[in-house]
Amino acid sequence: MNRILLASAFLLVSISAVFADGIPPAAPAVASPVPAAVSPVPAAVSPVPAAVSPVPAAISPAPKAPAPKLVEPHLHIARSNLAGHARIALTFDACMGQADERILSTLVRERIPATIFVTARWLKRNPAALAVFLQNPDLFELENHGENHIPAVDTPTLIYGIASAGSPQAVRQEVEGGAAAMVAAGIPAPHWFRGSTAKYDLSAIGEIRAMGYRIAGYSVNGDGGSLLGAVITEKRIASAKDGDVVISHINQPTHAAGEGVAKALVDLKAKGTEFVRLEDVEDTGDDKTTE
């Protein structure tokens, strides 16, 4: 009996120890992750100081420079004052591109004199047309249209989308460069100048005149810069009157205007028109272009 009681007591003590080892310890107190006294973003610090303006209010855009005052001079020649015998001067600009054979062949075939304003750029690309001009000195007077077809305006601006020369030095280079190319090509030294777009400022006119050139305006715009259709071009040129100076283009062989120019020349000749070159007759230009 005593042995049984001792065994039972030992068993109870062992079971109590096993259960006691399986009980996890009490969890410790959890610390606060962010102390209450500490703010993640200090209230006294502002991301953008209120006293600093991103764009200073005192800065304003710079004023634009005023556009230069441009003129498009007119030119007339001495009239014949004979009924049914109007006298006109045909002038053609050869800016760049190729020669318009429709016009050139008509001038030669009909023996119609004209004044041709050539650029250095056009001369380089059209040796065959130049040869025709030089072979017919009784028909063609060759004059200066500039070196690179840059408007002769000595203040920076855009004219029909073309940047002007922009300075007196650049105007001089445009004029002198064109003349040098003409002489190098075997053409007599020019006496007339017509700038790209036929627009100028008054100071550039004075500079060009001081170089010894007369400046060629016009009184009839024949082909609208070679952009008009054949029919309206023919009507414009054929309507020229005694003393008119007609401007057209001889460098756009793919434009319809050239067809109208050629037809108008035949129309005028049939009416008994007298054709003259600028060097053959007295003239009057406004804006001090020929004084």
Side-chain angles (χ1 to χ4, degrees):
M1 177 64 72
N2 290 332
R3 289 180 179 176
I4 296 172
L5 291 172
L6 289 171
S8 299
F10 179 78
L11 179 62
L12 289 172
V13 171
S14 299
I15 293 171
S16 298
V18 170
F19 278 107
D21 290 340
I23 297 174
V30 178
S32 173
V34 180
V38 178
S39 172
V41 179
V45 178
S46 172
V48 180
V52 178
S53 173
V55 180
I59 297 178
S60 59
K64 293 183 178 180
K69 179 182 178 181
L70 303 181
V71 296
E72 191 167 358
H74 294 91
L75 180 67
H76 288 85
I77 58 171
R79 299 177 180 177
S80 71
N81 292 318
L82 298 174
H85 189 75
R87 176 189 294 150
I88 70 169
L90 297 172
T91 69
F92 293 92
D93 288 358
C95 312
M96 42 201 135
Q98 301 296 325
D100 192 334
E101 290 295 334
R102 297 170 297 182
I103 300 172
L104 182 54
S105 61
T106 300
L107 291 170
V108 174
R109 183 183 67 250
E110 300 293 334
R111 308 308 296 171
I112 296 176
T115 302
I116 315 294
F117 287 86
V118 297
T119 67
R121 295 173 65 177
W122 187 89
L123 288 174
K124 291 178 181 178
R125 299 187 61 179
N126 294 274
L130 174 59
V132 173
F133 291 147
L134 295 178
Q135 290 164 6
N136 293 273
D138 58 321
L139 293 182
F140 300 115
E141 171 191 0
L142 300 181
E143 297 292 351
N144 189 357
H145 196 33
E147 182 177 21
N148 290 308
H149 201 247
I150 296 173
V153 174
D154 60 17
T155 302
T157 190
L158 289 177
I159 307 171
Y160 305 134
I162 305 174
S164 66
S167 71
Q169 295 79 10
V171 169
R172 176 174 289 275
Q173 178 58 44
E174 175 71 2
V175 177
E176 291 183 342
M182 294 177 69
V183 173
I187 302 170
H191 303 287
W192 286 86
F193 176 80
R194 174 182 285 157
S196 167
T197 73
K199 290 181 181 289
Y200 315 82
D201 54 352
L202 295 178
S203 54
I205 287 176
E207 293 155 13
I208 297 167
R209 291 289 291 125
M211 296 170 66
Y213 287 90
R214 301 171 79 77
I215 297 176
Y218 62 90
S219 59
V220 175
N221 186 339
D223 61 1
S226 192
L227 298 177
L228 298 178
V231 174
I232 189 169
T233 296
E234 180 183 3
K235 289 182 178 179
R236 280 195 178 194
I237 298 176
S239 68
K241 297 179 173 55
D242 196 15
D244 273 335
V245 175
V246 179
I247 182 175
S248 298
H249 292 76
I250 197 169
N251 67 300
Q252 295 290 356
T254 64
H255 290 193
E259 178 185 349
V261 171
K263 289 182 178 179
L265 299 180
V266 177
D267 295 343
L268 286 169
K269 184 178 180 181
K271 290 164 56 175
T273 300
E274 176 190 0
F275 300 100
V276 296
R277 302 172 300 183
L278 292 181
E279 65 181 352
D280 297 330
V281 67
E282 294 182 357
D283 54 75
T284 303
D286 56 15
D287 295 309
K288 298 184 178 180
T289 51
T290 60
E291 293 180 4

